[in-house]
Amino acid sequence: MEAPNLKRGQRLVIATHNSGKLREIADLLAPFGLSLVSAAELGLDEPEESGTDFADNACLKACAAALASGAFALADDSGLTVDALGGAPGIRSARWAGPGRDFGAAMEKVNKALEAAGANAPADRRAAFVAVLCLAAPDGQCASFEGKVEGTLVWPPRGERGFGYDPIFLPDGHTRTFGEMDAAEKHAYAPGKPGLSHRARAFAKFVEACCER
């Protein structure tokens, strides 16, 4: 669809039940004056993420929330892709954390898989975070925006900020992991400066196309 212009005060459903992801998206959208409500607050079910890539899953979630709520909905699908693991965990990044979303265990699983593959040197531990934002209208039309940041995986984990795999991801050109960075450094947005994180970079494209400033 042609990207709509979301007005200040307009209701936007954030199609997630993940509190960390919701917090990051809410922080990114704060300057734009939208009226945000989460899928969890509305009691909406989470659709099965049966897509084959991040864009598929983001659109599945956004379209389900838009249809159920009758409002525009924004969904994110994101994850960690590791070169030495053939792109895994990829779209299964959350599933590697198990039903209890234990990302400490998930990070250990990634590290053990890298060790088993003989990927011990930094050059062998290349990875990227990828995020796709999808904005869906109640009629099922949607528009997608992708962001990516590349880096290296470290061990042991460093920092307690962020969420998910942040403590083992060292973005290129930096000496601190995402887990050691505050939200302002990781996500700061300004026109022409898309921010550092994968979500901030996808968000910058979304804002330019859809948000009233």
Side-chain angles (χ1 to χ4, degrees):
M1 71 174 177
E2 182 178 346
N5 185 14
L6 299 175
K7 305 292 186 182
R8 288 183 174 272
Q10 184 170 344
R11 191 185 206 206
L12 179 65
V13 178
I14 307 302
T16 186
H17 289 244
N18 181 315
S19 60
K21 186 176 293 187
L22 176 63
R23 183 172 59 252
E24 287 197 349
I25 293 174
D27 286 345
L28 288 165
L29 289 175
F32 301 96
L34 296 166
S35 178
L36 305 181
V37 61
S38 73
E41 290 176 273
L42 294 176
L44 303 182
D45 292 333
E46 293 185 277
E48 180 182 357
E49 295 182 21
S50 57
T52 59
D53 58 25
F54 294 113
D56 283 348
N57 284 334
C59 287
L60 280 169
K61 291 184 282 189
C63 288
L67 180 63
S69 66
F72 279 98
L74 182 69
D76 157 289
D77 198 61
S78 57
L80 179 71
T81 64
V82 183
D83 291 359
L85 303 182
I91 61 171
R92 295 176 176 81
S93 293
R95 294 175 214 174
W96 277 40
R101 298 291 174 96
D102 183 349
F103 279 97
M107 288 187 284
E108 188 169 352
K109 184 176 180 179
V110 168
N111 188 60
K112 286 182 176 178
L114 284 169
E115 289 178 343
N120 297 306
D124 298 325
R125 297 170 70 93
R126 296 292 298 166
F129 269 130
V130 179
V132 175
L133 289 174
C134 178
L135 179 69
D139 64 4
Q141 296 188 75
C142 60
S144 297
F145 310 89
E146 180 178 309
K148 181 177 182 179
V149 57
E150 296 187 350
T152 302
L153 299 184
V154 302
W155 194 261
R158 291 163 27 192
E160 298 180 352
R161 294 174 171 173
F163 69 101
Y165 298 91
D166 283 357
I168 61 171
F169 186 80
L170 181 68
D172 287 347
H174 294 263
T175 59
R176 290 177 298 144
T177 69
F178 273 175
E180 296 173 296
M181 296 181 183
D182 62 28
E185 181 176 4
K186 184 179 171 186
H187 301 303
Y189 167 79
K193 296 181 180 180
L196 176 59
S197 78
H198 51 309
R199 190 163 290 112
R201 292 175 179 186
F203 168 82
K205 296 176 183 178
F206 163 70
V207 165
E208 292 300 322
C210 303
C211 290
E212 182 180 68
R213 293 182 294 278

